[in-house]
Amino acid sequence: MNNTWQGYNSSLFYDELLTSSGNPRTAARGMINFLQRLPEEEINERRSAAELAIRDMGISFTVYTEGGNIDRNWPFDIIPRTITAKEWSKISLGLQQRTRALNCFIDDIYNKQSILADQLIPADIVLESTNYKPQCRGVSPRYGAWAHICGSDLVRNSNGKFYVLEDNLRVPSGVSYMLENREITKRVLPELFENYSIQPVDDYPSKLYQTLASLSPRETRKPCIAVLTPGIYNSAYFEHAFLAQSMGAELVEGSDLHTGDDDCVYMRTVDGPVKVDVVYRRIDEDFIDPEVFRQESMLGVPGIMRAWKAGNVAIANAPGSGVADDKVIYAYVPDMIRYYLKQEPLVDSVKTYLCMIEKDREYVLSNLDKLVVKPANESGGYGIMVGPHASAQTRREFAALIENNPRNYIAQPTLSLSTAPTYIDHTVAPRHLDLRPFILQGKDTWVTPGGLTRVAMTKGSLVVNSSQGGGSKDTWIVEGN
């Protein structure tokens, strides 16, 4: 064993690749043995090769700061994460189940509202949510699917069991990095792909295309699909361009589209207007149509909501789908599965305390040093307080926030997130991580084999978001184990 692995402690948390006694898990055995035999100089050379590939491929993300926007190269760890295909098949079924229930919920609350009438969920939680859009009432998209692309974040606790931490149904991002992680790993560790049977992820663009094409209002062999981006200054612009190119779709900004008198959406081209069948929106719904939402928006397309309601264009994800993104709504997803599908959840959610409920609020305020507190509608790791790592002053500030607006906060136990070997500063050390698989729902439902593994690169940190200094690694779903 080379010195980079000396002192690695896999006994403090559930480790993805090594048992508590330090032996490789079955799915990781070949990879661990290979990496431990590599000379230290060669491991560092391969890490440097990965960084060079990231620069050459232009893989970047944008961090917004008070001083301006900073483009950074994608932070990547060369040691893959492995999960057995047998274990993943159960998770995949659970994610499909969850996404179907969430789509049933969204379709219900914009139409019959039966789940509210039956008082399974308090009506005010839904109807007063900032993400509930009354402008979407009475619409039922094709196949009853509103959130066509869902990113549900998974974590593994100290018992090694997967839990869903949250659902992302507005504009989930990160899938391009999942694909690029695989390409980089193939470049720097090609030997491992000769000896492992790893489920591929590179068919995601074709699966996404099939999902979007199934939504087309026109029966046409090749529908016109447009990826609507806010533009080059958006943090996920790399992904917008990547997916458009990979699918053979059009990459457009709001000014490239217009709505005709026939309530159809058209794309401006040098050869004249071209009818658009499906818009894969990568902008927040509040900016998508100044006629309906923010009047000052220059990012959207005036009249696109009229075209969508008329059934002349499909929008993925549909406007209004963000109502199920609310972290308060998250607490009710197991009940949704039982209500709509008449099934028990196949993947558990994390225990969640709703600060709007007096009993829960009292518990949270008395145990802020043990809990993670989250705002209901933030993303990217912003606005979160990790109680055990927070100062007394921060806990007091959050207590005031909760008391001032209890509806806006939930709390969850501080999980002992799983770790995985991560190559940092010329040594291998355990770092906490999560996993974001992507679930597609249109005519059919499909789950990525694995997903985007995000890593907290700072020792002891539980925050994995790239905007907060996190990194990423390739995720292998390994057959035959």
Side-chain angles (χ1 to χ4, degrees), residues 183-361:
E183 288 302 311
I184 297 166
T185 307
K186 284 181 177 178
R187 288 192 184 193
V188 299
L189 295 171
E191 303 93 334
L192 292 177
F193 288 85
E194 298 173 3
N195 301 317
Y196 268 93
S197 178
I198 305 163
Q199 292 188 8
V201 294
D202 54 6
D203 58 345
Y204 178 85
S206 64
K207 295 291 187 181
L208 177 61
Y209 178 87
Q210 291 168 17
T211 297
L212 297 175
S214 74
L215 309 177
S216 173
R218 287 194 297 173
E219 296 297 333
T220 175
R221 187 179 63 84
K222 187 171 175 58
C224 179
I225 299 174
V227 178
L228 178 60
T229 176
I232 60 172
Y233 297 109
N234 183 266
S235 61
Y237 181 76
F238 168 83
E239 177 160 298
H240 306 165
F242 177 93
L243 291 175
Q245 182 180 32
S246 300
M247 288 192 291
E250 304 292 340
L251 182 66
V252 299
E253 297 183 27
S255 58
D256 297 319
L257 304 178
H258 71 277
T259 306
D261 295 335
D262 56 356
D263 285 345
C264 292
V265 175
Y266 294 90
M267 177 174 58
R268 295 181 173 90
T269 75
V270 293
D271 297 320
V274 173
K275 189 174 182 179
V276 176
D277 299 298
V278 183
V279 173
Y280 176 22
R281 68 173 178 96
R282 295 302 300 258
I283 67 173
D284 191 90
E285 60 206 357
D286 285 341
F287 298 94
I288 197 171
D289 189 341
E291 289 184 3
V292 176
F293 299 115
R294 294 198 182 190
Q295 295 181 1
E296 73 277 12
S297 173
M298 303 294 289
L299 300 176
V301 185
I304 193 173
M305 286 291 288
R306 280 189 282 110
W308 177 64
K309 287 186 171 184
N312 295 328
V313 69
I315 302 177
N317 286 345
S321 57
V323 68
D325 227 17
D326 191 312
K327 292 179 178 64
V328 173
I329 299 297
Y330 159 91
Y332 293 93
V333 174
D335 293 327
M336 292 179 201
I337 293 171
R338 298 182 186 101
Y339 182 80
Y340 294 113
L341 306 182
K342 314 301 180 192
Q343 300 170 357
E344 285 298 311
L346 297 175
V347 183
D348 289 337
S349 299
V350 175
K351 170 68 176 175
T352 301
Y353 300 94
L354 304 180
C355 294
M356 56 182 286
I357 298 174
E358 184 177 359
K359 181 181 178 182
D360 283 11
R361 183 168 65 255

Side-chain angles (χ1 to χ4, degrees), residues 20 33 56 181 190 204 232 268 270 286 302 404 429 431 433:
S20 58
N33 290 339
D56 289 346
N181 285 351
Y204 178 85
I232 60 172
R268 295 181 173 90
V270 293
D286 285 341
N404 184 55
R431 290 293 185 267
L433 70 174

